[in-house]
Structure formats: structure tokens, C-alpha cells
Amino acid sequence: MQVERLEEPAGKAVPETAQRAVPRHVAVIMDGNGRWAAARRLPRLAGHRAGAQAVRRCIQAAIQNKVGWLTLYAFSSENWRRPAEEVTDLTGLLRHYLRHELAELHREGVRLRVIGERERFDRDMCREFERAERITAGNTRLNLMVALSYGGRSDILRATVAIAEAVRDGRLDPAQLDEQQFGRFLYTDGIPDPDLMVRTSGEFRLSNFLLWQAAYAELVFLDVLWPDFGPTHFAEALDTYARRERRFGARPG
Ligand code: IPE
Ligand code: IPE
Ligand code: MG
């Protein structure tokens, strides 16, 4: 695979000890299932199946590295444009995953939440989402957000409409609206902004993921197709993150 290589700036030295910066929230764009399958002359579904195994490894890696919040981009608002057969395959896999993995996630102390236009899925699936959220609501070891029919623009637009309605009904004074309050209208209400955003497959774009929330996220692009993703890739991303100097617009320190 041809992947453009960019030199990582020298950055700071990474201390091996406990003061090494660990991102509180990691967001992952899980990309490359189709290319993984094509390279093996397999149908795309095989790539998505293998991708589901990588999801397990990623969750384990987050837990092991004491990352408290993990958001996985599993299906974008734009992915509905794929051929109906692939959409059916993806939703079928999702249904299977929710039914068969929930007990294990719960045992591991994972709290699961779905962000995105969940109402675009069928009623049966919406019930699975609610069930998963209800069962795991008390867990605290890992907050896992699965982005499903998620789009950053639709997130911001939906929030704007809700805000306009609140202003119209006299529940909200526009003069009082600040960034923090705006954030309460987003799907990610109550969830800290991602510190680190990782994309696999060698593509250098956000594809409409967490546009508002990732304003100051560190971006790491990995040269691995999602089905091959494992703990060493997770560690590599954390290592790169630890070397970055975050400034948030302030003077370099
Ligand atoms: C990511 O893999 C899974 C989803 C977007 C649902 P892709 O299906 O996008 O795989 P590529 O990018 O075609 O290789
Ligand atoms: C982004 O991947 C969405 C997910 C990983 C769920 P895509 O494969 O849909 O993105 P583009 O089309 O390459 O931008
Ligand atoms: Mg893709």
C-alpha cells in the first residue's frame, strides 16, 4: 500500500515513568476493512468481520493503558450511501456484536453509549442500543462510545436546531450561550473532548468525525488497515501522543 510518510516532529522526550501523558479520551476512525479484504480476494464482509475482532483488541488495549474514554467511529452518516448489501452486512454484524459481546463488555466494566442518528436504524436495533446502555450504565472502568450514523456536521446542525427552539420558547437566552453550553446540545454531552484522534489505513482526513469536539485533539495517522490493528498500534499512538506538545493556542512553554 502506498502511504505518504510525514516526519513526526522531534517533540519532547517521553519519560518512561508514571508522569508520561496518557490521553483521557481516544477517538478512533476504524478504516481499511474493504482494502484488507480486497488484498486477500475476499468479500468486503470478511474485512468487516475481521474489523470486529480488532474492535475487541482496541477495547482491551484502552483498558490496559488506563484510557478512561474511547470513541469508535463504526458507521458514518455518509456510510448509508454504500450499496444496500454492504449496509445490511454492517448492520447485521453490529446487531450480532451487541447481542453476543454485551455480557463480556459488562464483565469488563465497560459503559457503552451510542452517539449518532440512532433513529435511522430499525426499531429492533434501537432497542438493542437502549438495552446495552441500560445494562452497562453503572460501569466505570471504560466509557465506550460507539459512533453510529454519526456525522460531525449533523451533530452541530442538530444542536443548533435544538438551541433555536429553546430560544424561541424562552428557555434559553442567546446572550448566555457559550461553548460549554453549546456542547450540552451535542451527542457528546457529558463526554470530555478527545485528546487523541487516531485513523488507520493511511488516509489523512477526518471524514466528518467529531468536528466540534476534536478542535484541539492530537491527530495520529497509522499505516495499518483496521483488521490488522492490535495492542502495538495502540501503544504506538499513545507513544506519539506523549511526545507531542499541546499548546491550545498559548505561547510555547
Ligand atoms: C471501515 O472500513 C469500515 C466502515 C467505514 C464502516 P471501510 O469499509 O471504509 O474500508 P476501506 O476504506 O474501503 O478499505
Ligand atoms: C470513515 O471511513 C467512517 C468510518 C470509519 C466509520 P470512510 O471509509 O467512510 O471514509 P471516507 O469515505 O474514506 O472518507
Ligand atoms: Mg474507508
Side-chain angles (χ1 to χ4, degrees), residues 28-32 35 44 72-79 82 147 150 199 201 203 205-209:
V28 185
I29 304 175
M30 311 185 289
D31 195 22
R35 277 163 281 174
R44 289 180 70 86
L72 300 177
Y73 202 9
F75 193 88
S76 74
S77 322
E78 290 73 29
N79 287 149
R82 293 194 179 187
Y150 178 86
R199 182 173 190 145
S201 90
E203 305 287 0
R205 57 177 170 267
L206 299 182
S207 299
N208 204 12
F209 192 34

Side-chain angles (χ1 to χ4, degrees), residues 26-237:
V26 177
V28 185
I29 304 175
M30 311 185 289
D31 195 22
N33 295 353
R35 277 163 281 174
W36 184 93
R40 287 162 181 75
R41 298 178 190 281
L42 293 170
R44 289 180 70 86
L45 174 60
H48 295 314
R49 282 211 182 104
Q53 302 289 336
V55 168
R56 288 183 193 99
R57 295 192 290 272
C58 184
I59 292 170
Q60 286 307 318
I63 291 173
Q64 259 143 35
N65 286 281
K66 299 192 164 42
V67 168
W69 303 76
L70 176 69
T71 302
L72 300 177
Y73 202 9
F75 193 88
S76 74
S77 322
E78 290 73 29
N79 287 149
W80 293 109
R81 296 177 188 153
R82 293 194 179 187
E85 190 194 336
E86 185 172 357
V87 171
T88 304
D89 284 347
L90 282 165
T91 48
L93 262 181
L94 178 62
R95 203 184 307 270
H96 184 271
Y97 190 89
L98 281 173
R99 284 197 186 139
H100 292 87
E101 300 286 322
L102 190 66
E104 178 62 20
L105 290 175
H106 187 40
R107 235 189 330 271
E108 294 272 10
V110 175
R111 177 178 180 182
L112 193 137
R113 265 173 275 191
V114 172
I115 59 168
E117 309 150 329
R118 62 170 73 197
E119 62 285 352
R120 291 184 71 177
F121 293 90
D122 66 32
R123 282 188 49 201
D124 191 34
M125 186 77 101
C126 289
R127 272 196 287 269
E128 295 286 347
F129 298 156
E130 281 156 27
R131 179 168 160 267
E133 288 177 332
R134 192 178 58 248
I135 289 172
T136 64
N139 294 337
T140 54
R141 197 161 172 219
L142 174 71
N143 287 281
L144 174 65
M145 283 68 62
V146 185
L148 290 170
S149 189
Y150 178 86
R153 286 187 169 184
S154 106
D155 195 1
I156 294 166
L157 181 60
R158 188 177 147 276
T160 307
V161 170
I163 287 166
E165 285 169 354
V167 169
R168 182 196 60 198
D169 300 344
R171 289 179 280 119
L172 185 71
D173 173 5
Q176 301 296 317
L177 189 66
D178 59 13
E179 290 178 9
Q180 213 190 343
Q181 246 216 308
F182 191 97
R184 293 205 189 103
F185 288 87
L186 296 168
Y187 285 121
T188 47
D189 179 27
I191 296 167
D193 285 343
D195 302 293
L196 168 61
M197 187 179 285
V198 178
R199 182 173 190 145
T200 60
S201 90
E203 305 287 0
F204 296 92
R205 57 177 170 267
L206 299 182
S207 299
N208 204 12
F209 192 34
L210 299 175
L211 298 181
W212 170 282
Q213 298 85 344
Y216 266 103
E218 293 296 330
L219 308 179
V220 171
F221 299 96
L222 296 176
D223 179 17
V224 60
L225 299 172
W226 178 250
D228 291 325
F229 183 90
T232 54
H233 304 101
F234 197 90
E236 183 189 335

